[in-house]
Amino acid sequence: MHKIVFLDRATLAPQIRLRRPAFAHEWIEYDRTQPHEVAARLAGATIAITNKVALGEAVLRDAPGLKLIAVAATGTDCVDKAACRAREIAVSNIRGYAVDTVPEHTFALILALRRNLVAYRDDVLAGAWQRAGQFCFFDHPIHDLRGARLGIVGAGVLGQRVAELGRAFGMVPLFAAHKGKSGLGSLYTPWEEMLATSDIITLHCPLTPHTQGLLALPEFRAMQRRPLIINTARGGLVDEAGLVTALDEGLVSGAGFDVAAGGEPPPADSPLMRAAHRPNVIVTPHVAWASEQAQQALADQLIANIEAFVGGVRVNEV
């Protein structure tokens, strides 16, 4: 009988139904697991479920019965995959569940910032409407989306869906070529041209050594149209200190971030959190993926991956 241990169940909303696998098993779940608790909690486990709890080589060495690590997310940075291969531990992840929720969150940030909704809401709460002396006031610029150039970094499923939504608004999507590379074909706009001509730049690429700090002060200084910067991918893609300088100098017109560099939650004194109080900055707590529909699809796929593995079929193996 399999022993299944979910190390961080609280990374899914409590209303999401997580059905039990259709085979004989013992199920143990913890809302959260601290690093020093991992080894004891995985004692005797054959299947571990983790979203963000790190499973490194030392932990795996102390879990000789482990056969499968089912990651309750797409990203598998929390798992030492080389150590898993050496110990013949399978690793599975979740795929394709966020094709609507992340692009919709992206456009929620874009619309809110292009129309200055946060600034106007703050003004209304501060009594500015009553002081205006007429039916409206114009303290913050409002820009339509139609005709705006939408620079998209990442041409995968999410980037393609963002482009589709952008076209529905009458925008002009540009898929950025890889930084420092050319000859990628007609689908891609050269990196420097994307920086110089985009009204909005949105990130939908993985965090790798090549993409770490993809947007930093040199890139912000090359942005001729003062674009919005939208990041619903990974915090490390953007140099946050450089972003604050770009905001201070007016190199960009605003920022919408759902992720933070250097660990989440970020420290209260991090560059991103210091900028979060500005009316042209919106920071959300890594929830672009988390519509209830998407979370339920993730939970269902998670259990399906485990059932397939126990049934002898490798599904979504990393």
Side-chain angles (χ1 to χ4, degrees):
M1 185 171 71
H2 283 277
K3 179 180 179 180
I4 305 171
V5 178
F6 195 162
L7 293 168
D8 50 358
R9 173 62 177 84
T11 56
L12 295 178
Q15 66 269 29
I16 300 305
R17 188 180 72 88
L18 193 61
R19 68 176 178 85
R20 298 299 181 255
F23 56 80
H25 67 276
E26 177 187 5
W27 179 279
I28 302 172
E29 63 182 44
Y30 302 95
D31 280 349
R32 298 170 183 81
T33 297
Q34 299 302 317
H36 68 276
E37 299 172 319
V38 175
R41 290 183 173 183
L42 287 184
T46 55
I47 298 172
I49 303 173
T50 181
N51 189 318
K52 295 294 182 284
V53 175
L55 299 179
E57 197 276 337
V59 168
L60 299 176
R61 186 173 58 243
D62 292 336
L66 203 59
K67 303 298 181 186
L68 171 67
I69 297 173
V71 180
T74 299
T76 58
D77 297 348
C78 60
V79 178
D80 186 334
K81 292 177 283 295
C84 287
R85 285 191 294 271
R87 289 168 172 75
E88 297 184 345
I89 300 171
V91 180
S92 66
N93 70 343
I94 308 299
R95 305 176 190 182
Y97 74 99
V99 67
D100 292 315
T101 184
V102 170
E104 289 182 14
H105 194 94
T106 296
F107 268 89
L109 294 171
I110 290 171
L111 285 164
L113 290 164
R114 286 282 283 190
R115 305 195 70 84
N116 261 309
L117 296 187
V118 173
Y120 276 113
R121 180 181 186 274
D122 288 348
D123 286 352
V124 167
L125 294 176
W129 201 358
Q130 286 72 34
R131 294 191 297 270
Q134 63 177 22
F135 76 98
C136 66
F137 56 94
F138 309 103
D139 288 8
H140 311 286
I142 297 172
H143 297 285
D144 293 335
L145 295 187
R146 180 171 294 278
R149 292 169 69 86
L150 177 63
I152 304 171
V153 181
V157 173
L158 297 181
Q160 294 287 346
R161 178 60 174 155
V162 166
E164 182 182 353
L165 292 177
R167 292 188 192 99
F169 278 106
M171 303 176 78
V172 181
L174 310 172
F175 286 105
H178 294 183
K179 184 177 179 179
K181 293 187 178 180
S182 59
L184 293 179
S186 59
L187 171 66
Y188 296 95
T189 299
W191 175 255
E192 292 79 9
E193 179 181 343
M194 185 279 297
L195 292 177
T197 65
S198 295
D199 298 292
I200 299 158
I201 296 175
T202 180
L203 302 176
H204 301 282
C205 59
L207 180 61
T208 67
H210 179 71
T211 61
Q212 179 79 37
L214 190 67
L215 297 183
L217 201 51
E219 287 71 37
F220 295 130
R221 295 199 185 285
M223 297 175 183
Q224 298 176 15
R225 299 173 71 100
R226 299 183 63 248
L228 293 177
I229 308 300
I230 308 296
N231 188 5
T232 58
R234 290 290 183 267
L237 297 171
V238 178
D239 176 353
E240 292 178 357
L243 174 67
V244 172
T245 300
L247 288 165
D248 288 342
E249 296 183 5
L251 304 175
V252 299
S253 59
F257 273 54
D258 186 56
V259 289
E264 294 172 341
D269 62 348
S270 71
L272 184 64
M273 292 306 299
R274 292 201 306 270
H277 300 283
R278 304 180 187 215
N280 62 339
V281 175
I282 299 175
V283 177
T284 54
H286 205 137
V287 291
W289 66 279
S291 73
E292 294 202 3
Q293 294 84 351
Q295 287 192 70
Q296 191 59 62
L298 181 155
D300 293 343
Q301 188 179 142
L302 174 68
I303 300 304
N305 288 348
I306 293 171
E307 289 176 333
F309 174 82
V310 172
V313 179
R314 301 293 181 94
V315 174
N316 289 359
E317 186 169 13
V318 178

